[in-house]
Amino acid sequence: DAKTTQPPSMDCAEGRAANLPCNHSTISGNEYVYWYRQIHSQGPQYIIHGLKNNETNEMASLIITEDRKSSTLILPHATLRDTAVYYCIVRGRGGGATNKLIFGTGTLLAVQP
Amino acid sequence: NAGVTQTPKFRILKIGQSMTLQCTQDMNHNYMYWYRQDPGMGLKLIYYSVGAGITDKGEVPNGYNVSRSTTEDFPLRLELAAPSQTSVYFCASSPGTSAPARNEQFFGPGTRLTVL
C-alpha cells in the first residue's frame, strides 16, 4: 500500500469549510484513496473514498488531483462535532490482504467556536 | 442491527495473566479484523479473517491468538499479558466483496486494556 503524508494538525472555524490535504505520491493505478475519522475514544468511522474522480456524499467531498498524487477532503460546513483525527489511507481494491487499512497518525482537526 | 460489539469495555490485567477480548458482528460480514491503538498513534492490524475457519497475521501478531469458528464472532486471545500490550483494542468487520464497492470497515467501540 502507498504511504500517505498528512499535516499533524489543523484548525477550522465553526461553519467554515475544512480542507484536509493528503499526499500519496507513490499511489498505483489500481489503488483507492479512503478517508476515515476517529472522534476521541471511539472507533474509526468511514467518510468517503475515490479512485480518480471527485466524489461527494452526505458527509464530505473528496477532490483527487489529475495525477492522483494528492487529494483533499472537504467538510463544507464544519461543526464542533467534526473535531476528530482524520486518516487518509490508500489501498488496493478487492478482498483478502488488500482490504487491510494501514493507518498513519492522521490530521487532528480542531473546530473552533 | 447492533453492528460490531466488543466486551469488555475496560480491563486491568496483571503481568502473565491471560484473557479473551470478545467481538461480535450482526451484519453477516465475511471479513473481520483486530487492531490495537497505542496513545497518540494510528491503528495497527493484529490479525484478520476472511471467513469462518480462516485467519491470518497482520502487522503486529506476536503475543496474540485468534479463532473464527462462526461468521459472527472473532475473539482475540492474550496468553501471557505483558505491559507492552497496554493499548486500546478495536475490532472491525467489512463485507469483503472483491468488487470496487464501498467495502468500508465498521469498527466496534474498543476495549481499553491495561497490563500492570
Side-chain angles (χ1 to χ4, degrees), chain A residues 4 6 21-24 33-36 71 86-90 102 104 106:
Chain A
T4 62
Q6 300 177 252
C22 179
N23 285 319
H24 33 78
V33 179
Y34 279 74
W35 283 83
Y36 281 72
S71 60
Y86 288 77
Y87 296 99
C88 170
I89 300 166
V90 171
I102 307 298

Side-chain angles (χ1 to χ4, degrees), chain B residues 9-108:
Chain B
K9 286 186 170 55
F10 304 93
R11 185 71 185 270
I12 298 175
L13 283 182
K14 294 182 179 179
I15 295 172
Q17 286 186 320
S18 62
M19 77 164 294
T20 299
L21 283 66
Q22 302 291 346
C23 176
T24 300
Q25 54 93 7
D26 62 0
M27 296 174 282
N28 201 32
H29 284 169
N30 289 322
Y31 291 9
M32 296 187 74
Y33 315 81
W34 274 106
Y35 295 88
R36 60 176 286 174
Q37 185 174 33
D38 298 332
M41 305 297 289
L43 281 72
K44 291 191 181 298
L45 182 65
I46 305 172
Y47 270 96
Y48 67 100
S49 169
V50 300
I54 306 169
T55 62
D56 207 348
K57 296 178 180 179
E59 303 170 80
V60 290
N62 291 344
Y64 307 94
N65 280 301
V66 294
S67 60
R68 184 97 181 270
S69 57
T70 66
T71 299
E72 295 79 17
D73 300 306
F74 191 40
L76 178 72
R77 179 82 176 165
L78 282 70
E79 291 294 349
L80 292 170
S84 61
Q85 294 178 304
T86 294
S87 192
V88 180
Y89 291 83
F90 290 101
C91 179
S93 72
S94 68
T97 175
S98 60
R102 182 158 148 163
N103 202 18
E104 66 186 273
Q105 291 191 18
F106 295 82
F107 285 80

Side-chain angles (χ1 to χ4, degrees), chain A residues 22 49 60 63 65 68 90 92 98:
Chain A
C22 179
H49 78 287
I63 308 298
T65 58
R68 303 187 69 240
V90 171
T98 61

Side-chain angles (χ1 to χ4, degrees), chain A residues 19-38:
Chain A
N19 297 279
L20 292 91
C22 179
N23 285 319
H24 33 78
S25 58
T26 59
I27 192 171
S28 63
N30 63 349
E31 289 183 315
Y32 287 73
V33 179
Y34 279 74
W35 283 83
Y36 281 72
R37 74 178 182 183
Q38 187 176 23

Side-chain angles (χ1 to χ4, degrees), chain A residues 13-111:
Chain A
E14 189 176 19
R16 303 296 294 269
N19 297 279
L20 292 91
C22 179
N23 285 319
H24 33 78
S25 58
T26 59
I27 192 171
S28 63
N30 63 349
E31 289 183 315
Y32 287 73
V33 179
Y34 279 74
W35 283 83
Y36 281 72
R37 74 178 182 183
Q38 187 176 23
I39 296 171
H40 182 61
S41 297
Q42 298 181 19
Q45 174 192 25
Y46 166 88
I47 301 173
I48 198 167
H49 78 287
L51 182 62
K52 56 183 179 181
N53 298 320
N54 298 338
E55 302 287 345
T56 296
N57 63 18
E58 65 278 5
M59 291 182 67
S61 295
L62 175 60
I63 308 298
I64 302 174
T65 58
E66 191 169 345
D67 63 7
R68 303 187 69 240
K69 293 185 177 181
S70 65
S71 60
T72 301
L73 179 74
I74 301 172
L75 307 179
H77 305 287
T79 71
L80 297 178
R81 287 174 294 181
D82 292 322
T83 292
V85 177
Y86 288 77
Y87 296 99
C88 170
I89 300 166
V90 171
R91 69 169 175 86
R93 70 200 312 180
T98 61
N99 201 32
K100 293 186 293 186
L101 297 176
I102 307 298
F103 287 83
T105 51
T107 296
L108 174 59
L109 175 68
V111 180

